Amino acid sequence: MAKVFSRVDESLQEFIRQQAMFFVATAPSEGGRVNLSPKGYRDTFAVLDERRVAYLDLFGSGAETIAHLRDNGRITVMFCSFARNSRILRLFGTGRVVRPDDVEFDSLRPYFGMQHPGIRAAIVIDVERIADACGFSVPYYELVGERPVLDAHHTKQPDEKFAHRISGDNRQSIDGLPALEPDHPLPSTIEP
């Protein structure tokens, strides 16, 4: 039976810490496509307090989440247990993009593993609804390890490739909503 929580308490924080991945869902205000993205690397998600969470957003082939947050701020984060104890936890809220050159970004650094070479931004979410579900139909999976491929890929990319992303496929969403600004900082400018 689903339960609604008033805050991200210590037991929910522990459940979140145990998950190796999470999912992020956003959608534009009108029409367009719903975006659902899996996220990995345990050190990229943090509970800031009982009503705020954040995650490090790494460069990818698109910038749907950023575009949708700029459009309307709506976001849902889902954690799903694949272990013997089934559970799904959803955090519904309003998110915003914090660029690496924003003053606020420095206050977020201690919450994350800053060694990821493709850091694009931090996404900060004011959580408005916290609910879990049974997850009884979710299959069992055993974690083999974190996939190092994205970090390895970003390590090999010169600044020109990231600049091309900023002005290319990260400039707007697939539906044409604005995402990254032309002056978005390159990952090489971010201190670890």
Side-chain angles (χ1 to χ4, degrees):
M1 194 65 162
K3 182 177 178 184
V4 175
F5 301 86
S6 61
R7 60 193 176 91
V8 183
D9 63 21
E10 184 54 45
S11 68
L12 294 177
Q13 291 180 42
E14 180 58 30
F15 174 75
I16 289 169
R17 279 191 291 271
Q18 292 172 2
Q19 307 316 307
M21 67 180 297
F22 58 99
F23 301 85
V24 175
T26 58
S29 294
E30 294 184 28
R33 293 162 181 87
V34 173
N35 184 59
L36 178 61
S37 297
K39 305 290 182 187
Y41 299 131
R42 288 181 194 225
D43 62 353
T44 61
F45 190 89
V47 176
L48 305 178
D49 61 43
E50 294 180 333
R51 300 295 297 184
R52 283 184 323 131
V53 297
Y55 71 89
L56 275 183
D57 183 62
L58 306 177
F59 267 91
S61 58
E64 301 307 296
T65 301
I66 290 173
H68 294 164
L69 292 180
R70 294 203 166 153
D71 178 47
N72 60 41
R74 295 178 306 161
I75 187 168
T76 300
V77 176
M78 184 184 83
F79 293 91
C80 182
S81 173
F82 297 103
R84 290 287 169 199
N85 295 327
S86 63
R87 186 180 201 182
I88 295 170
L89 178 67
R90 290 182 183 90
L91 308 175
F92 302 85
T94 301
R96 58 192 169 77
V97 180
V98 179
R99 288 173 38 144
D101 56 351
D102 290 342
V103 173
E104 183 182 4
F105 192 85
D106 284 337
S107 69
L108 298 170
R109 287 173 174 277
Y111 291 97
F112 304 115
M114 294 299 294
Q115 75 284 358
H116 298 284
I119 295 171
R120 181 167 55 188
I123 304 298
V124 177
I125 303 161
D126 293 317
V127 180
E128 298 156 2
R129 186 174 196 273
I130 305 155
D132 72 358
C134 65
F136 289 165
S137 67
V138 174
Y140 300 122
Y141 281 102
E142 291 186 25
L143 178 65
V144 174
E146 290 190 332
R147 191 182 306 264
V149 178
L150 186 62
D151 278 350
H153 172 75
H154 285 152
T155 298
K156 297 175 192 173
Q157 301 306 305
D159 281 350
E160 296 79 34
K161 289 279 190 179
F162 286 110
H164 180 72
R165 281 245 137 106
I166 292 167
S167 64
D169 58 8
N170 280 210
R171 184 176 55 85
Q172 63 184 19
S173 73
I174 56 179
D175 295 315
L177 294 171
L180 297 186
E181 296 99 349
D183 68 342
H184 194 86
L186 297 169
S188 64
T189 65
I190 303 168
E191 296 291 323

